Amino acid sequence: MQRSYFDHNATTPVDPEVLGAMVPWFSEKFGNASSIHSFGQQARAAVEQAREQVARLLGARPAEIVFTSGGTESDNLAILGLVRASRAERKHIITTAIEHSAVLNPCQALERSGVEVTYLPVGPEGVVDPGDVRRSLRPDTLLISVMMANNELGTIQPIEEIGRIAAEADVWFHTDAVQAAGKLPIDVGRLGVDLLSLSGHKIYAPKGVGVLYVRSGARIEPLVWGGHHERDRRPGTENAPGIIGLGKAAELAQAKLPAESARLAALRDRFERSVLERVPAARINGAGAARVANTANIAFSYVEGEALVIALDLKGVACSTGAACSSGAIEPSHVLTAIGLESAEARSSLRFSFGRGNTVEEVDRALGILPGVVDHLRELSPLYKKPIAIS
Ligand code: PLP
């Protein structure tokens, strides 16, 4: 059976060029980048080249790039690291209700130790109002953390505007750009961000490697203690193969972005248009907002989302019910409830996230399967009344 993967916001396959760049660093080029002999120096040079590649993607300086184990660690390092390195009297953080758990959970952990956190609501299209950010500022606000693109809806947040507000108020600004990298151009100077998180496995690099951009002058305390790696910001022997892969992936993401985002927007729009035509009572969540090109989040009322994911998977169509890390959770998505969806509507919503490997033929095949599967599951629902065909 042909299988199509429409879950690129959960993870992406490693690009063959990325894999090719990584392979020698597992075996013949195995040196520790901190060793002073030639084996070590060879690894050091490759790690520093990757740092330059990532810096170029972000418009940053190489010295501002800290390699981590992924997006979750980068978010934690930004938030906990900044709070721990800052004066105790600045104890207020502003974030949003639609952040990933890698931001929400460190914020909640900080609340337990006396830090106050404002969780801003978003509008019905899943976008935060920069006016709300401004109005929430306090004399003791230390940090604003707002994601660049939402992982479930794809909605793009007004980062540049919030960057200006943060700069005027002299407050640090972090953005989780895990779902924006490779999908939107990123320039940390133009955006006015001080801290920015990336994850390798969302941009065709392997899992377990990520980046925190730290503007020079921003002080963060490490989360774990050890040696002096990564300029004392993240100890531990560098994951040279992963870092080298991420460097290559950053270079490819930058080169492919314009053509690939136009191609994915066309695929996604074709998919959404046809779903609305062929499936009664389907609705696109976040449709009124600017969105990254690859993401479609669709409510199929009267259907249990997880049942639909499983039924589609059995027919070779892989998608998800929202954040991968919450699959199996009983609660409806916090993002979908934040945009005002009732619990049943949120539970009926699926995310299709397209990527480099996807073709028009695959999308059309999925479109041939989806309406029948939705119809079948709806027939099982006591609440659904089939529209009467008028001839
Ligand atoms: N932030 C966002 C917006 C994400 O979508 C994800 C992953 O789904 C993460 C952070 C966590 O990244 P990682 O899987 O690299 O820890």
Side-chain angles (χ1 to χ4, degrees):
M1 179 174 54
Q2 190 187 337
R3 289 193 177 274
S4 299
Y5 182 78
F6 300 134
D7 200 13
H8 291 79
N9 287 9
T11 196
T12 57
V14 174
D15 184 284
E17 272 194 72
V18 169
L19 184 61
M22 291 173 66
V23 165
W25 302 93
F26 286 106
S27 47
E28 74 262 31
K29 300 181 179 180
F30 60 86
N32 181 328
S34 298
S35 299
I36 56 176
H37 48 60
S38 58
F39 293 83
Q41 291 315 295
Q42 190 182 37
R44 169 60 54 203
V47 164
E48 294 315 312
Q49 189 198 337
R51 204 183 300 281
E52 284 169 26
Q53 287 166 314
V54 173
R56 232 172 278 133
L57 177 70
L58 303 179
R61 285 197 284 269
E64 297 173 316
I65 302 302
V66 179
F67 288 112
T68 66
S69 67
T72 300
E73 186 188 334
S74 298
D75 286 343
N76 275 265
L77 181 57
I79 296 165
L80 302 177
L82 188 81
V83 167
R84 290 175 187 167
S86 303
R87 297 195 325 274
E89 57 272 24
R90 288 183 73 180
K91 59 175 178 45
H92 176 232
I93 294 175
I94 300 169
T95 187
T96 79
I98 61 163
E99 299 299 311
H100 191 269
S101 51
V103 165
L104 293 176
N105 286 344
C107 285
Q108 281 161 18
L110 285 169
E111 282 184 288
R112 293 192 285 276
S113 58
V115 173
E116 290 174 47
V117 183
T118 302
Y119 299 93
L120 294 175
V122 292
E125 302 299 344
V127 180
V128 69
D129 176 358
D132 283 347
V133 175
R134 191 188 293 281
R135 284 185 287 276
S136 304
L137 286 166
R138 306 189 333 197
D140 64 344
T141 305
L142 172 70
L143 171 70
I144 299 168
S145 180
V146 177
M147 71 199 323
M148 195 163 169
N150 182 264
N151 43 303
E152 293 190 41
L153 298 167
T155 53
I156 301 169
Q157 305 303 314
I159 297 303
E160 207 172 326
E161 242 177 299
I162 298 170
R164 278 197 293 274
I165 292 167
E168 280 166 25
D170 202 16
V171 167
W172 298 108
F173 182 28
H174 166 247
T175 190
D176 174 337
V178 165
Q179 295 291 347
K183 300 172 189 162
L184 297 173
I186 301 178
D187 180 332
V188 287
R190 185 175 52 75
L191 295 173
V193 299
D194 303 300
L195 300 150
L196 179 145
S197 306
L198 292 187
S199 170
H201 73 103
K202 312 287 185 178
I203 61 164
Y204 305 88
K207 293 153 189 71
V209 64
V211 160
L212 182 66
Y213 157 79
V214 183
R215 182 181 296 285
S216 64
R219 254 182 8 94
I220 54 165
E221 196 175 285
L223 299 182
V224 292
W225 297 92
H228 297 288
H229 311 82
E230 299 297 296
R231 296 170 188 256
D232 286 326
R233 295 169 296 192
R234 205 279 188 174
T237 300
E238 294 88 345
N239 167 13
I243 289 171
I244 290 159
L246 179 50
K248 187 70 193 170
E251 185 188 299
L252 293 176
Q254 199 171 11
K256 289 180 190 282
L257 192 145
E260 189 58 7
S261 65
R263 192 186 74 86
L264 290 176
L267 271 193
R268 193 266 313 268
D269 293 349
R270 178 188 186 92
F271 181 73
E272 288 185 348
R273 229 181 5 255
S274 301
V275 168
L276 293 181
E277 278 165 18
R278 299 184 202 183
V279 182
R283 217 167 48 81
I284 314 288
N285 296 317
R291 290 179 294 158
V292 290
N294 79 318
T295 308
N297 192 304
I298 308 178
F300 296 97
S301 311
Y302 310 107
V303 169
E304 178 60 53
E306 301 221 339
L308 185 50
V309 168
I310 293 164
L312 288 172
D313 190 44
L314 289 173
K315 292 184 182 288
V317 175
C319 61
S320 85
T321 49
C325 19
S326 68
S327 70
I330 310 295
E331 293 296 302
S333 146
H334 69 285
V335 174
L336 299 180
T337 49
I339 63 170
L341 264 58
E342 296 290 338
S343 171
E345 191 80 346
R347 285 162 187 262
S348 79
S349 296
L350 293 199
R351 179 185 71 185
F352 298 83
S353 47
F354 304 101
R356 270 183 211 162
N358 293 142
T359 61
V360 175
E361 291 69 35
E362 276 185 297
V363 166
D364 287 349
R365 192 178 73 89
L367 285 165
I369 292 168
L370 183 62
V373 175
V374 172
D375 206 38
H376 175 68
L377 289 176
R378 280 178 174 172
E379 275 166 11
L380 303 176
S381 163
L383 299 176
Y384 183 62
K385 291 188 186 53
K386 203 171 180 146
I388 299 161
I390 300 165
S391 55

